[in-house]
């Protein structure tokens, strides 16, 4: 069996939980356990003279970490990837910063990663590239003669054509994507928008596309979690979970868990909680909102501004509604171990997942997985998260509608047990089928079938 070669911006065990490394490692766990594999990406190191790649092993996977120079890190990672592609793909045109030099650094960083990869590749490897940092990688590899199957999965949304066209180099990126054998998306609407931006490709049967002198496939693969393992985790005794439960007492807990990112809709969510307390004085003192939001991408200025905004909003709510024995909002800027998070979700009556846009949102699925079947909580979910396609049992909200989120919070808190149970059961069944293992295996089988004959 040939190796699976995974390429992503971050390698697993990189430390920061905010990056895709953690979630992606869970998503790929089953696929990596089945076959010998190699995982290559940025090591997280930034140095003037990058040393040779660092190597370690984790079970059957060899992990290779490549360092970046300060100039590449600034232009590629903080610049083109996170100050341009991330806001653009999340429909935040006002936050987009385009600089030609950043695009040049983006290409250069991809060439640098391609060079490291070329030293590792074997003819029978299957290559799977992840996310918006690495769109040009296949084109660079093909130019260097790599003929292996190469698949690509976009973890974030693919924007509507008129938004995408604002990117001066959008044609280059589309053409680069045509060099993969399979381009995978989280939802059908992401896939359709990608096909739309192609203009009038010479379509073949099904999801096959012929363009730029290449034939490639597109597909939809909603990422999942290891539902059984997460549910088991949540049911295990957790000292921090117990402390939280003791502390909350009879109050109902609403929980939000997000990287501190402007795509996650945190200001509107906090405002909706304030609106809810204003409109429902009878709930004051009886509900507790815990928002966990570890700092992410602190090197990008828009993230620092968001942090200041939320610090102010949280302080205002607590200033206005707190009592001597009750703090309405607990706002915590750090990460927690998965077991602790699972126990927190399980204790919560309401899960608040209200992104303005999100490729999938795994927190929504983790919240559902963690619920006690005999007394499940209610998920409030943005219609603009990819997860909304699958999780029809959630209370769906428009994240721009602060009053609507406040209404949903009230409805969730007052929802009778039978309705909570039937909604939860529908969602739990979906995530028990569409697991992480199902996601990776369906992508890899589609990639194996996608090779032009
Ligand atoms: P993210 O934007 O990072 O991922 P998400 O899907 O919610 O968003 O995944 C976050 C992961 O980090 C979850 O597993 C969550 O438990 C964990 N996490 C969040 N806060 C944490 C904390 N305080 N402590 C510990 N762990 C925490 C990107 C896309 C998403 C897409 C995923 C996977 O933006 O849309 O779902 O990739 O494809």
């Amino acid at each position: 069996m040939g190796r699976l070669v995974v390429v992503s911006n971050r390698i697993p065990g990189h430390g920061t939980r905010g990056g895709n490394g953690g979630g992606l490692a869970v998503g790929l766990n089953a696929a990596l356990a089945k076959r010998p594999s190699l995982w290559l990406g940025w090591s997280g190191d930034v140095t003037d003279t990058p040393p040779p790649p660092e190597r370690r092993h984790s079970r059957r996977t060899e992990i290779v970490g490549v360092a970046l120079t300060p100039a590449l890190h600034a232009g590629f990672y903080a610049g083109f990837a996170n100050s341009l592609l991330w806001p653009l793909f999340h429909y935040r045109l006002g936050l987009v910063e385009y600089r030609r030099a950043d695009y040049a650094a983006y290409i250069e960083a991809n060439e640098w990663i391609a060079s490291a990869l070329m030293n590792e590749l074997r003819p029978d490897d299957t290559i799977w590239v992840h996310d918006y940092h690495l769109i040009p990688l296949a084109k660079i590899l093909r130019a260097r003669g790599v003929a292996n199957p190469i698949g690509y999965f976009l973890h974030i949304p693919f924007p509507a054509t008129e938004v995408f066209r604002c990117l001066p180099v959008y044609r280059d990126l589309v053409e680069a994507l045509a060099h993969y054998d399979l381009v995978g998306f989280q939802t059908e609407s992401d896939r359709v928008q990608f096909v739309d931006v192609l203009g009038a490709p010479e379509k073949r049967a099904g999801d096959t596309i012929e363009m730029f002198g290449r034939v490639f496939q597109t597909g939809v693969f909603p990422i999942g979690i290891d539902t059984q393992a997460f549910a088991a985790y949540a049911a295990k005794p957790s000292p921090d979970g117990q402390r939280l439960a003791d502390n909350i007492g009879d109050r109902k807990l609403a929980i939000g868990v997000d990287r501190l990112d402007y795509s996650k809709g945190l200001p509107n969510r906090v405002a909706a909680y304030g609106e809810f307390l204003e409109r429902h004085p009878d709930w004051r003192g009886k509900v507790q909102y815990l928002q966990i939001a570890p700092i992410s991408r602190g090197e990008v200025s828009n993230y620092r501004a968001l942090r200041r905004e939320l610090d102010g909003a949280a302080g205002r709510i607590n200033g206005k509604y707190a009592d001597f024995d009750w703090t309405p909002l607990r706002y915590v800027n750090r990460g927690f171990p998965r077991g602790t998070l699972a126990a927190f979700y399980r204790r919560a009556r309401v899960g608040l997942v209200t992104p303005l846009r999100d490729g999938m949102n795994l927190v929504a699925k983790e919240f559902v997985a963690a619920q006690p079947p005999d007394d499940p909580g209610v998920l409030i979910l943005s219609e603009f998260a990819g997860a909304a396609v699958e999780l029809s049992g959630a209370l769906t909200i428009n994240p721009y509608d602060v009053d609507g989120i406040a209404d949903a919070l009230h409805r969730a808190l007052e929802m009778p047990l039978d309705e909570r149970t039937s909604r939860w059961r529908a969602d739990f069944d979906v995530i028990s089928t569409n697991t992480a293992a199902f996601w990776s295996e369906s992508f890899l089988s589609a990639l194996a079938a996608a090779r032009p004959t």
Side-chain angles (χ1 to χ4, degrees), residues 88-110:
L88 184 80
F89 281 39
H90 288 89
Y91 291 77
R92 300 299 296 274
L93 279 175
L95 302 180
V96 159
E97 294 169 29
Y98 175 73
R99 285 173 290 264
R100 277 188 191 174
D102 287 353
Y103 183 55
Y106 180 71
I107 298 293
E108 201 185 321
N110 272 268

Side-chain angles (χ1 to χ4, degrees), residues 181-423:
D181 297 302
L182 172 66
V183 180
F185 300 91
Q186 300 270 27
T187 67
E188 177 63 9
S189 92
D190 294 322
R191 195 191 71 81
V192 166
Q193 285 173 171
F194 170 69
V195 174
D196 188 59
V197 89
L198 293 174
E202 222 183 280
K203 269 193 229 167
R204 290 188 169 189
D207 296 337
T208 308
I209 289 172
E210 191 168 351
M211 212 173 174
F212 307 110
R214 297 203 42 92
V215 179
F216 64 104
Q217 294 278 337
T218 60
V220 176
F221 308 91
I223 192 169
I225 61 169
D226 187 344
T227 304
Q228 295 308 327
F230 204 87
Y233 233 167
K236 274 206 327 214
S238 144
D240 282 339
Q242 190 54 50
R243 267 180 68 202
L244 178 70
D246 293 346
N247 197 276
I248 301 279
D250 290 340
R251 293 184 177 121
K252 301 282 183 270
L253 176 66
I255 194 167
V257 174
D258 313 73
R259 279 186 305 103
L260 190 51
D261 191 293
Y262 49 77
S263 67
K264 303 293 180 185
L266 289 162
N268 284 4
R269 189 187 306 170
V270 169
Y273 182 59
E275 181 62 29
F276 164 79
L277 292 176
E278 185 59 36
R279 279 202 253 142
H280 300 284
D282 50 317
W283 271 100
R284 292 182 202 160
K286 295 186 187 140
V287 62
Q288 177 78 61
Y289 171 20
L290 171 62
Q291 177 61 54
I292 296 175
I295 312 292
S296 149
R297 302 177 192 164
E299 64 273 59
V300 181
S301 66
N302 283 322
Y303 287 75
R304 295 195 295 271
L306 173 68
R307 189 177 174 192
R308 283 192 298 276
E309 182 183 352
L310 279 169
D311 286 350
R316 280 192 296 280
I317 288 201
N318 283 335
K320 187 162 178 192
Y321 299 106
D323 213 330
F324 68 94
D325 60 350
W326 175 58
T327 310
L329 169 55
R330 290 189 202 164
Y331 174 51
V332 185
N333 283 136
R334 70 177 179 92
F336 287 90
R338 292 183 78 70
T340 306
L341 271 191
F344 288 180
Y345 292 138
R346 190 177 183 86
R347 178 64 184 75
R349 171 55 61 87
V350 182
L352 286 162
V353 179
T354 63
L356 303 180
R357 281 283 155 181
D358 218 326
M360 178 51 60
N361 196 296
L362 293 177
V363 170
K365 295 187 171 181
E366 291 166 356
F367 177 82
V368 171
Q371 294 309 302
D374 57 344
D375 189 20
V378 181
L379 176 65
I380 294 180
L381 180 60
S382 164
E383 61 180 290
F384 302 125
V389 176
E390 294 163 278
L391 302 181
S392 57
L395 290 184
T396 310
I397 52 91
N398 179 321
Y400 295 94
D401 179 7
V402 170
D403 292 316
I405 304 172
D407 288 346
L409 179 56
H410 187 235
R411 186 168 164 207
L413 286 168
E414 306 233 323
M415 191 180 284
L417 177 62
D418 56 347
E419 186 181 349
R420 280 191 276 129
T421 308
S422 62
R423 285 175 173 276

Side-chain angles (χ1 to χ4, degrees), residues 44-59:
D45 290 332
V46 179
T47 67
D48 282 322
T49 40
E54 61 177 53
R55 277 164 207 283
R56 61 196 151 81
H57 280 86
S58 168
R59 291 188 288 174

Side-chain angles (χ1 to χ4, degrees), residues 13 42 86 105 133 210 264 326 331 335 421 425 431 439:
W42 176 35
W86 179 271
H133 312 85
E210 191 168 351
K264 303 293 180 185
W326 175 58
Y331 174 51
T421 308
R425 175 48 67 189
I431 62 166
W439 168 75

